[in-house]
Amino acid sequence: MLRDRTTRVGSWCLAVQFLVTAGVLFLVPVFVQTTLDYDALRSGLTLLPATATLIVAAAAFSALVGARRATHKSIIVVGFLAIAGGAVQVALMLGPGISGLDLAPGLVLAGLGLGACAMLPDLVQSSARPDNVSDVAGLSRSVSYLGQSVGVALGGVVLLGVLLSSFAAGVRDSQVLTGQQKSVVTQTVESGLQAAAVSDAQAVAVLADKGITGPAADELVRINAAARVDGLRAAVLAMGVLALIGMALAMRLPRRPRLHSVPDR
């Protein structure tokens, strides 16, 4: 089954597509909820441009392929490129003082790319021989689920890794914190403190619970906010890089793969 290049390369592309999709759809809500204090409903509405564009683009690109005005390969390659461009656009916009609408252009571009890449399951499964249809369908679903799982995990790893590094650098360079305060904070972070991307209000509550208030608390909240944005930006950009890897993989797809009809059941 994997000797077929369309099945083999298409499955890798599927994994990357779902990885990037899951990563972006995980990171954007984290940003709007922790930085813009959005609730779940507003977070969902922020993602609406990407969802709507995905649906429209998938239908439009499917019609183009059906009319033989474009190939699966060309659409998928352009799709991954659009996802990468959308990720970069979103990453550049991340920061305090913006609204969910400011993320719309990048999300629309990413949604356009995701709609184009929606051709992948059709390409992979229709390339299977009639006696391999079930196996290829199972493979495509498995790699899709694997990509989703890895996308969320990888996005979280990059986010927290950069957040902690940026936070430590901010504490070290702070002109407000005393040497003793810097030492305590650094030791707390290095001692294996469970880290998470938290909002400013949550950070204030945690610091107050530890008895830290006043200028020191304000400085730590500011450092945390900057580190959080650095982590989110790096994680979204990582999704963009992975989309470019997906594009490189898609370029290895056959220009005109042999498509088999699925037998009636």
Side-chain angles (χ1 to χ4, degrees):
M1 180 175 60
L2 292 175
R3 290 193 183 98
D4 181 78
R5 187 165 56 148
T6 301
T7 301
R8 183 177 65 254
V9 177
S11 296
W12 277 108
C13 290
L14 265 174
V16 175
Q17 175 201 354
F18 278 85
L19 187 157
V20 173
T21 302
V24 172
L25 297 184
F26 162 70
L27 293 166
V28 171
V30 169
F31 168 75
V32 296
Q33 290 177 18
T34 59
T35 303
L36 306 183
D37 292 324
Y38 280 15
D39 58 18
L41 177 59
R42 294 185 71 186
S43 299
L45 291 175
T46 300
L47 293 172
L48 190 59
T51 306
T53 306
L54 187 159
I55 295 171
V56 173
F61 288 130
S62 179
L64 284 176
V65 172
R68 298 185 179 276
R69 298 179 62 184
T71 63
H72 286 85
K73 177 179 179 178
S74 61
I75 288 177
I76 293 166
V77 168
V78 171
F80 275 116
L81 182 60
I83 295 172
V88 171
Q89 175 69 16
V90 169
L92 292 176
M93 293 304 301
L94 296 182
I98 71 165
S99 70
L101 288 176
D102 294 317
L103 300 177
L107 291 174
V108 166
L109 186 56
L112 180 68
L114 293 172
C117 289
M119 304 297 300
L120 271 167
D122 172 63
L123 173 64
V124 173
Q125 295 180 29
S126 62
S127 67
R129 297 194 310 270
D131 58 328
N132 274 346
V133 170
S134 297
D135 294 330
V136 172
L139 174 65
S140 64
R141 288 196 176 192
S142 296
V143 297
S144 299
Y145 295 147
L146 178 63
Q148 287 178 325
S149 301
V150 174
V152 174
L154 183 61
V157 166
V158 175
L159 163 61
L160 293 180
V162 175
L163 187 155
L164 288 174
S165 176
S166 180
F167 182 82
V171 169
R172 184 177 60 250
D173 299 336
S174 174
Q175 302 297 316
V176 176
L177 301 174
T178 65
Q180 182 179 3
Q181 290 171 332
K182 292 180 181 181
S183 177
V184 170
V185 172
T186 301
Q187 289 175 6
T188 301
V189 173
E190 292 178 350
S191 66
L193 175 70
Q194 185 176 3
V198 297
S199 66
D200 292 349
Q202 291 171 321
V204 170
V206 170
L207 291 171
D209 186 59
K210 300 293 184 181
I212 304 174
T213 58
D218 294 339
E219 177 70 355
L220 288 172
V221 170
R222 182 194 66 79
I223 293 171
N224 174 73
R228 183 180 62 231
V229 170
D230 288 343
L232 286 163
R233 185 176 289 127
V236 174
L237 286 174
M239 295 300 112
V241 171
L242 288 169
L244 291 177
I245 293 175
M247 183 184 72
L249 287 170
M251 293 178 69
R252 298 187 59 202
L253 288 168
R255 178 175 174 79
R256 295 284 182 181
R258 180 181 300 174
L259 302 180
H260 299 274
S261 59
V262 179
D264 295 333
R265 293 175 181 266

